[in-house]
Amino acid sequence: MADWFLRFFKGILIGSGFILPGVSGGALAAVFGVYERIISFFAHVTKNFKENVLYLIPVGAGGLTGIFLFSFVVSYFLGAYEVQILWLFIGCILGTLPTLWEQAGRQGRQKKHIALILISFVIGFAFMYYGERMSYGHVEQNVATWLLAGALIGLGIIIPGFSPSNFLLYMGMYKAMADGIKGLDFMVIIPLFAGAGLTVLLLSKAVNYIFEKAYAGLFHIILGIILASTVMIVPTDFNYLSMGTFICLFCCLLGIAVGKWMCALEKKYKDEER
């Protein structure tokens, strides 16, 4: 039961990655150790179907809970406590980096893999840095554009570090998406989830194939992108000489503690399974 709630809680945080700007649901899934399982399941749905479904049910339930929950609170908390919330997420990621580093080197680590981290970090950072400075646009909201928005969310699952919320902000669809989910507008929700599901099903086989052929290389690339996305969400328009800095530090340390706790629990249950 404790393991079930742990996966449910991870799912909530992963779901928040599809709502919070600058945060990647795929990156959080990798950080919390469920990314490979999700990709493998969608790439080979019939393989170990019952076992995978039972494992992923709490993750999926938590993800949906996170999406709906953060749709309700995102406007308020990102408006009133944006800096503190982002530092909490940064702390969670920092707390799990040692485990992620160990996981990336599970099949060996060479100098070229260190180079891959640096290259993916630079490319990922440049892409997100310049993408953030794109001018905000406005896209007409209809079934087709909500399918496109869902496809972006699907890419956020498949590609760790890719933050769909950023692009939805650029397209002028972010607030409408949050309001649609909060208000249970099925003209928004159905195409949104359909677009995400189709994208995951179509691309997961390709990503899973790369994992099977070049696990170490791909995971070190993912690690570089995660580092880049973490740097990108560091708030820069905040007066760190104020007393609020101590609150940010507390949030970061709390996040680190939560991240380490989740990794410790995950390791405990993996050891028990063996």
Side-chain angles (χ1 to χ4, degrees):
M1 184 60 69
D3 187 34
W4 195 97
F5 279 109
L6 173 63
R7 280 179 276 142
F8 180 78
F9 182 63
K10 287 181 179 181
I12 291 177
L13 294 179
I14 292 168
S16 73
F18 305 122
I19 295 295
L20 294 176
V23 183
S24 165
L28 290 174
V31 165
F32 299 137
V34 297
Y35 176 78
E36 289 178 78
R37 190 76 173 254
I38 293 172
I39 296 300
S40 178
F41 172 67
F42 283 107
H44 308 287
V45 175
T46 58
K47 183 179 179 181
N48 299 323
F49 179 80
K50 182 178 179 181
E51 178 185 347
N52 285 324
V53 167
L54 290 175
Y55 180 88
L56 292 174
I57 279 176
V59 179
L64 291 174
T65 302
I67 290 172
F68 279 95
L69 176 64
F70 278 87
S71 293
F72 277 91
V73 302
V74 69
S75 296
Y76 173 74
F77 278 102
L78 280 181
Y81 305 106
E82 177 182 10
V83 174
Q84 293 80 2
I85 293 296
L86 289 176
W87 274 112
L88 178 68
F89 272 88
I90 291 168
C92 283
I93 295 171
L94 292 177
T96 56
L97 278 180
T99 300
L100 191 61
W101 171 260
E102 181 182 346
Q103 190 174 359
R106 194 168 61 189
Q107 294 186 8
R109 180 179 289 116
Q110 302 173 19
K111 290 182 179 179
K112 65 179 181 181
H113 296 130
I114 305 299
L116 284 175
I117 293 177
L118 296 175
I119 293 169
S120 61
F121 174 84
V122 171
I123 294 175
F125 181 82
F127 177 79
M128 287 180 276
Y129 179 83
Y130 288 107
E132 189 180 44
R133 281 149 182 76
M134 291 168 56
S135 59
Y136 282 63
H138 181 74
V139 176
E140 182 182 352
Q141 293 158 19
N142 52 43
V143 173
T145 53
W146 284 122
L147 280 169
L148 174 61
L152 289 172
I153 292 175
L155 286 176
I157 300 172
I158 295 294
I159 306 173
F162 181 84
S163 177
S165 297
N166 286 4
F167 289 89
L168 293 173
L169 278 169
Y170 304 148
M171 295 162 64
M173 299 178 70
Y174 179 78
K175 188 177 186 304
M177 179 190 72
D179 290 344
I181 295 173
K182 180 174 66 176
L184 292 177
D185 184 349
F186 290 102
M187 292 300 291
V188 173
I189 294 173
I190 291 176
L192 198 66
F193 280 84
L198 285 172
T199 301
V200 171
L201 286 172
L202 291 173
L203 295 183
S204 56
K205 281 186 177 293
V207 175
N208 187 71
Y209 177 81
I210 298 172
F211 257 126
E212 291 176 351
K213 299 297 180 181
Y215 173 91
L218 181 58
F219 218 105
H220 283 85
I221 290 173
I222 290 171
L223 183 56
I225 295 174
I226 289 172
L227 291 172
S229 64
T230 304
V231 172
M232 278 301 301
I233 66 173
V234 173
T236 56
D237 56 348
F238 181 75
N239 181 15
Y240 288 102
L241 297 178
S242 66
M243 291 298 293
T245 301
F246 292 101
I247 299 176
C248 294
L249 179 61
F250 171 78
C251 290
C252 184
L253 292 174
L254 177 62
I256 290 173
V258 171
K260 286 183 173 294
W261 171 70
M262 285 191 292
C263 288
L265 279 180
E266 182 182 356
K267 185 177 186 301
K268 173 186 174 184
Y269 286 107
K270 280 184 177 179
D271 291 342
E272 287 180 356
E273 286 176 1
R274 295 191 188 100

